[in-house]
Amino acid sequence: MRAAIYRGAGHVTVEEVSDPLITAPTDAVVRVLRSCICGSDLWAYRGVIQRAVPSRLGHEFLGTVEAVGSEVRTLKPGDLVVAPFQWSDNTCPACRDGLQTSCVNGGTFGAPGTDGGQGEAVRVPQADGTLVAVPGGAESVSEAALRALLATTDVAATGLHGAVLAEVGEGATVGVIGDGAVGLCAVLGARAILGAERVLLFSRNPERQALGRRFGATDVIPERGEAAIATARDLTAGLGLRHIVEAVGTEASWEMALGMARDGGTIGAVGVPHTAPTLPLFPPFVHHLRIHVGVAPVRHYLPQLITRVLEGTYDAGPVFDLEMPLQDVALGYAAMSERRAIKVMLS
Ligand SMILES: [Zn+2]
């Protein structure tokens, strides 16, 4: 089979690799129908972080079950399944706390020694705990629903998680910092699921601004830095925002989040902080800020998101603004790295 392989910064290839096999009785093998490129895949592509060379790529995929190990109980060959970007047993204490990304038997697709989602098939460890079957199977799912389901494997759930961490509720006013797929999905989650009334999206890119409005942003603010902070305060009678989603993970985005938070406000941070390893604690101390951070436990959100997709009440599929076959994955990385695409879908 073929799979995307990381060959160094700026260098992604598609190569022949061995077919995945069941190696543990709790495994399943999934034939990938759709996968995608994540903003977090770009960190290694841009050379910001180190990644093993060569290594498999991708952690967002859905597909059909091809084979299951002898201990797999809830899945059977032919099932259409959605995979969160990490596997988990869904039974350990961390999983029962809703933190499947801290599972004692968990791991990440695309990490050294594992299969990546950007390939024709994937060995999925802890299949019962990880994969969520879509009722009705592949025959009953439209192409649009398939895109919406693919989005739930990471960005739709991660954006929603950011809004949950920011304690967004009915009638809330929320600021979303970051107009990548996760930030845009935070807008959608805050409005369509959590009932926010007003969402300020900070974006200066016309396509992303338009999608942000489609997802429910009520105010789109092109300023950055101090100017953005001033605008956010102007729009809230000088008080600042009670709820902020930080979906970038850089020093600049954290400065904005801290600067526009209302005293006692909550920042929900889902931007991977590769380039912002230190956080000043004095401003949050003085202003009573609540800072909730964490890698999204996508598995926790999947059942409800899949239900909403099938009901037609939740559709993050429009984040995919470019699609291509797996063979062209290198073009997809380049397009996302150069911000010519919000998110690339691979088929
Ligand atoms: Zn667990």
Side-chain angles (χ1 to χ4, degrees):
M1 60 163 258
R2 294 168 310 147
I5 304 288
Y6 179 75
R7 285 279 169 196
H11 192 194
V12 172
T13 57
V14 173
E15 301 180 19
E16 202 58 42
V17 300
S18 49
D19 289 330
L21 298 169
I22 302 286
T23 59
T26 47
D27 286 353
V29 169
V30 172
R31 178 68 42 183
V32 176
L33 284 176
R34 298 285 185 281
S35 79
C36 45
I37 302 173
C38 182
S40 65
D41 293 330
L42 299 178
W43 291 103
Y45 182 80
R46 289 169 172 157
V48 176
I49 59 169
Q50 295 297 311
R51 185 183 181 92
V53 177
S55 58
R56 297 276 293 273
L57 283 162
H59 54 259
E60 302 172 11
F61 64 97
L62 55 73
T64 50
V65 175
E66 206 166 66
V68 294
S70 59
E71 290 177 18
V72 174
R73 295 284 173 263
T74 62
L75 304 162
K76 60 183 187 312
D79 284 350
L80 174 65
V81 288
V82 178
F85 61 78
Q86 298 196 344
W87 66 81
S88 57
D89 59 17
N90 214 23
T91 56
C92 79
C95 286
R96 289 201 303 269
D97 283 345
L99 297 176
Q100 284 85 346
T101 43
S102 297
C103 177
V104 294
N105 291 307
T108 305
F109 295 107
T114 71
D115 291 350
Q118 292 161 15
E120 291 180 315
V122 176
R123 180 181 75 87
V124 178
Q126 302 293 338
D128 272 335
T130 304
L131 298 170
V132 181
V134 178
E139 303 75 41
S140 65
V141 172
S142 68
E143 179 60 32
L146 211 55
R147 299 164 82 96
L149 289 171
L150 181 63
T152 68
T153 64
D154 185 349
V155 290
T158 298
L160 172 61
H161 186 60
V164 168
L165 290 182
E167 301 184 314
V168 173
E170 288 288 334
T173 295
V174 190
V176 175
I177 300 169
D179 63 0
V182 170
L184 293 167
C185 287
V187 173
L188 183 66
R191 290 279 280 164
I193 295 182
L194 301 175
E197 191 172 295
R198 191 171 185 193
V199 177
L200 285 59
L201 173 66
F202 295 87
S203 171
R204 56 175 55 178
N205 175 302
E207 285 81 30
R208 293 164 194 242
Q209 290 177 335
L211 188 51
R213 287 193 188 281
R214 184 170 163 190
F215 280 177
T218 51
D219 305 75
V220 175
I221 298 163
E223 286 91 14
R224 288 183 185 166
E226 289 300 325
I229 292 168
T231 304
R233 291 200 172 271
D234 284 348
L235 291 171
T236 53
L239 294 170
L241 293 157
R242 276 195 201 280
H243 309 279
I244 296 171
V245 180
E246 191 291 310
V248 184
T250 61
E251 219 163 294
S253 64
W254 270 101
E255 273 171 23
M256 280 174 62
L258 293 170
M260 63 180 65
R262 179 177 178 146
D263 279 31
T266 307
I267 298 172
V270 286
V272 186
H274 285 306
T275 61
T278 59
L279 180 68
L281 275 177
F282 205 73
F285 178 79
V286 171
H287 297 290
H288 305 269
L289 300 186
R290 293 127 74 96
I291 296 180
H292 298 164
V293 301
V295 54
V298 172
R299 178 62 180 78
H300 171 71
Y301 295 100
L302 271 186
Q304 62 151 308
L305 290 181
I306 291 170
T307 299
R308 286 172 190 271
V309 167
L310 298 179
E311 286 170 355
T313 58
Y314 190 75
D315 182 7
V319 293
F320 298 110
D321 57 346
L322 186 61
E323 23 180 313
M324 55 189 61
L326 172 66
Q327 196 60 39
D328 295 335
V329 65
L331 300 175
Y333 272 84
M336 277 182 64
S337 183
E338 292 156 21
R339 283 176 71 88
R340 284 183 280 112
I342 299 173
K343 195 162 177 70
V344 172
M345 180 169 82
L346 303 166
S347 53

